[in-house]
């Protein structure tokens, strides 16, 4: 009986060292958040002329990067003195994701995107708008420079999202048709930042 308690106490001690014990994965690995993959997807959005590896954003869609970008957008908006919080940004993102999914399902009937892919592409395409919101902390966006940067961020965001949406079906001629609703979504976020 005494041996049972000794063994139990030995194995339950949190300060004991076991060389054969498994190494616990980090919290990011347990939550399946790959920071290298998130940075790679942000780089894809930042390079408008890059075409070869654009499908990596569509093959493995994750929502941790877009949620981080939405949180960063809300934080920068709050720091610049605007009133929208994470709830309104997140609500707009959900509505725009559902509407964009319906539109893409009608446009590319032979290739249906999963909802997570649409949410991932729309979320990662907010990188220029997040940069604009960070710029808005230090400089007013209602000036000529702010309006110019806002317009260029809407164009950049819509071009990168539409490029990724037409990559898988291979219908490059339909990119302007997809770019228009992407520009509307990006313009909503920019208008929230400016007013």
């Amino acid at each position: 009986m005494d041996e049972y308690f000794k063994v139990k106490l030995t194995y339950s001690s949190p300060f004991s060292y076991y060389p054969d014990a498994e190494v616990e994965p980090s919290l990011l690995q347990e939550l399946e958040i790959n920071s290298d993959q998130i940075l790679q997807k942000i780089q894809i959005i930042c390079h408008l002329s890059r075409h070869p590896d654009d499908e990596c954003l569509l093959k493995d869609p994750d929502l941790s990067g877009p949620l981080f970008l939405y949180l960063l957008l809300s934080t920068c908006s709050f720091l610049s003195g605007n009133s929208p919080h994470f709830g309104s940004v997140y609500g707009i993102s959900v509505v725009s994701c559902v509407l964009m999914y319906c539109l893409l399902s009608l446009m590319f009937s032979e290739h249906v995107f999963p909802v997570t892919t649409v949410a991932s592409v729309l979320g990662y395409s907010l990188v220029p708008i997040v940069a604009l919101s960070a710029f808005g902390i230090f400089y007013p966006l209602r000036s000529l420079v702010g309006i110019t940067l806002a317009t260029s961020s809407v164009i950049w965001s819509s071009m990168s999202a539409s490029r990724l949406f037409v990559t898988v079906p291979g219908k490059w001629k339909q990119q302007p048709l997809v770019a228009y609703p992407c520009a509307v979504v990006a313009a909503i976020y920019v208008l929230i930042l400016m007013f």
Side-chain angles (χ1 to χ4, degrees):
M1 189 88 160
D2 292 333
E3 293 176 8
Y4 174 75
F5 288 117
K6 288 180 184 176
V7 171
K8 187 173 183 182
L9 288 176
T10 303
Y11 284 103
S12 65
S13 174
F15 301 105
S16 62
Y17 174 73
Y18 299 108
D20 296 333
E22 295 180 17
V23 177
E24 289 188 25
S26 66
L27 181 61
L28 291 177
Q29 289 174 346
E30 286 184 11
L31 294 175
E32 297 180 2
I33 297 173
N34 189 353
S35 59
D36 294 332
Q37 187 179 20
I38 291 172
L39 290 175
Q40 180 185 10
K41 291 177 181 183
I42 288 174
Q43 288 175 353
I44 289 172
I45 295 297
C46 291
H47 297 293
L48 285 177
S49 61
R50 187 176 171 184
H51 287 290
D53 294 333
D54 287 348
E55 290 187 14
C56 85
L57 187 60
L58 302 173
K59 286 180 184 175
D60 187 22
D62 68 318
L63 298 178
S64 57
L67 285 176
F68 174 72
L69 290 172
Y70 291 136
L71 183 64
L72 194 60
L73 179 72
S74 299
T75 304
C76 290
S77 175
F78 177 72
L79 290 176
S80 65
N82 293 340
S83 61
H85 299 288
F86 184 72
S88 59
V89 171
Y90 185 69
I92 291 170
S93 68
V94 169
V95 170
S96 64
C97 175
V98 169
L99 292 176
M100 186 65 73
Y101 174 75
C102 295
L103 180 71
L104 291 174
S105 297
L106 292 173
M107 287 184 72
F108 306 121
S109 59
E110 67 276 356
H111 182 81
V112 178
F113 291 99
V115 177
T116 55
T117 301
V118 175
S120 180
V121 169
L122 286 177
Y124 278 112
S125 67
L126 286 179
V127 170
I129 298 172
V130 170
L132 177 73
S133 68
F135 178 76
I137 295 173
F138 305 106
Y139 195 81
L141 293 178
R142 293 185 191 176
S143 63
L144 182 62
V145 175
I147 292 173
T148 305
L149 288 175
T151 305
S152 62
S153 68
V154 167
I155 292 170
W156 190 351
S157 176
S158 65
M159 291 302 292
S160 60
S162 64
R163 180 193 69 200
L164 292 170
F165 282 133
V166 298
T167 296
V168 174
K171 297 186 176 183
W172 295 98
K173 293 182 179 178
Q174 292 187 352
Q175 185 176 0
L177 294 174
V178 178
Y180 176 72
C182 293
V184 170
V185 171
I188 291 172
Y189 287 112
V190 169
L191 288 175
I192 284 176
L193 289 175
M194 293 182 75
F195 298 106

